[in-house]
Amino acid sequence: MNILLTGAGGAAAVSVWKSLNQEHELYMADIDPCAAGLYLVPPARRLIIPRGNAPEFSSTLLLECQKRQIELLIPTVDTELVPLARQAEQFRELGIKMPISSAETLERCRDKYTLLTYCQNTGFTPEFNLLTPDRELATIQFPCFAKPRQGAGSNGAMTINHVNELEMLPKDGSYLIQELLPGEEYSVDVYIHSSGHPMAAVPRLRMKIDSGIAVAAQTRINKHWTLDCNDQIKNKDVILC
């Protein structure tokens, strides 16, 4: 199978390359010609592409996939996901599969306030509010946590200890203020079947963080977290798209 991976300079693309390289013909793409992952494949299988937020990104990638008869496209950069999801049907019409969620789901997840609001009725969300001109700062309990409602890499995220620190942040609805949750931090990787059912969930203790990414982690097993999907999925074959 001809497979194209984007974000060749990142750990995600390199990890996928390690897993699939022996059995498939992999192509690597990145915006940076110096991206390390590009040099894991022969020169003919290296691509330089526009940024994920560039207007021509999706159409350029679609054309490149056609040229190389790509059967599976795996984007690994978050800014690429929504543009590609919006044009997923065009890729499918050409026989190019993409294991990504719908544009609606991705847009919801990229906006932290929208996601928390969507999940609020589960009872698992912290207390949260947008920082707006009419927000009464005196009612906020300190310390609290502040972060941009849209962003990545922990950029702009901070612990706020006093109202004076909060006064320094923009009050245009671009910042989210939420309850500070101390203690260990976990990520949970969930593998979802194309039918929408979860196949597996792997909780990881985030031991060392660099720019919002866990660079050292430890898998944790807890019987209360176990997810049994046997009754949900009779066919154990994994369908990518």
Side-chain angles (χ1 to χ4, degrees), residues 143-184:
C144 62
F145 193 71
K147 58 187 176 183
R149 63 184 291 180
Q150 297 196 40
S154 293
N155 292 322
M158 64 192 77
T159 299
I160 302 294
N161 294 294
H162 192 272
V163 67
N164 292 341
E165 298 174 19
L166 207 56
E167 290 281 6
M168 304 296 291
L169 297 178
K171 298 174 182 61
D172 56 2
S174 64
Y175 253 82
L176 179 68
I177 305 301
Q178 69 177 53
E179 174 187 2
L180 180 64
L181 301 177
E184 296 180 329

Side-chain angles (χ1 to χ4, degrees), residues 4 134 205 214 226 230:
L4 173 60
D134 57 351
L205 172 63
T226 303
N230 292 335

Side-chain angles (χ1 to χ4, degrees), residues 11 33 76 81 98 131 206 217 228:
T76 70
L81 300 180
M98 285 192 296
L131 189 56
R206 294 162 61 90
D228 185 0

